[in-house]
Amino acid sequence: MTERPLGVVNCHCSQCRRFHGHFGAYITVPRDTVFFDADSTLAWYRSSEAAQRGFCSRCGASLFWKGDENPLVDIAAGSLDQPTGLVTLRHIHVGSKPDYYEIDDSLERFPEGAPEPP
């Protein structure tokens, strides 16, 4: 990755919860800044008519979300090497949040998606 992301966004949509087993935590960067040393175990699953999710076909780790027409890609924050130096910025799709947990921080919240960073 050649670009420094702004921070982590927690997504509470039902697709992220199914893909990750809980909410998804992502960084967002331009697609053309992401490079792979090798991608032979990278697999993509069409999760909707407009997006795909990437995962490791060897271990099953959740890695990416990309919208078909979007020049950005979301990378699962949990897949990054530590220390990241990142902070969590906001919660999105909180209107889809399930009833088994509460969001108890002071970060900004959006009922659906948030505006893309400038």
Side-chain angles (χ1 to χ4, degrees):
M1 182 169 46
T2 62
E3 182 160 311
R4 180 89 176 134
L6 297 174
V8 177
V9 173
N10 294 334
C11 181
H12 301 270
C13 78
S14 62
Q15 288 187 8
C16 279
R17 290 194 323 271
R18 287 183 179 101
F19 191 61
H20 295 283
H22 198 37
F23 62 83
Y26 292 99
I27 61 169
T28 302
V29 296
R31 281 191 203 189
D32 62 2
T33 66
V34 178
F35 300 94
F36 300 98
D37 290 331
D39 62 359
S40 61
T41 62
L42 179 60
W44 292 94
Y45 164 72
R46 178 147 300 277
S47 57
S48 73
E49 292 181 12
Q52 297 181 65
R53 292 179 181 273
F55 64 95
C56 176
S57 64
R58 182 176 299 145
C59 72
S62 307
L63 300 172
F64 302 104
W65 181 93
K66 65 179 182 177
D68 293 342
E69 303 300 321
N70 194 328
L72 304 172
V73 64
D74 294 337
I75 302 171
S79 69
L80 303 173
D81 292 336
Q82 298 294 308
T84 66
L86 297 169
V87 297
T88 302
L89 302 173
R90 67 183 57 94
H91 298 275
I92 61 172
H93 293 282
V94 296
S96 302
K97 183 190 82 55
D99 61 358
Y100 66 86
Y101 66 87
E102 294 299 322
I103 299 172
D104 60 357
D105 57 40
S106 60
L107 299 176
E108 65 182 338
R109 302 173 191 186
F110 294 89
E112 299 300 324
E116 294 294 343

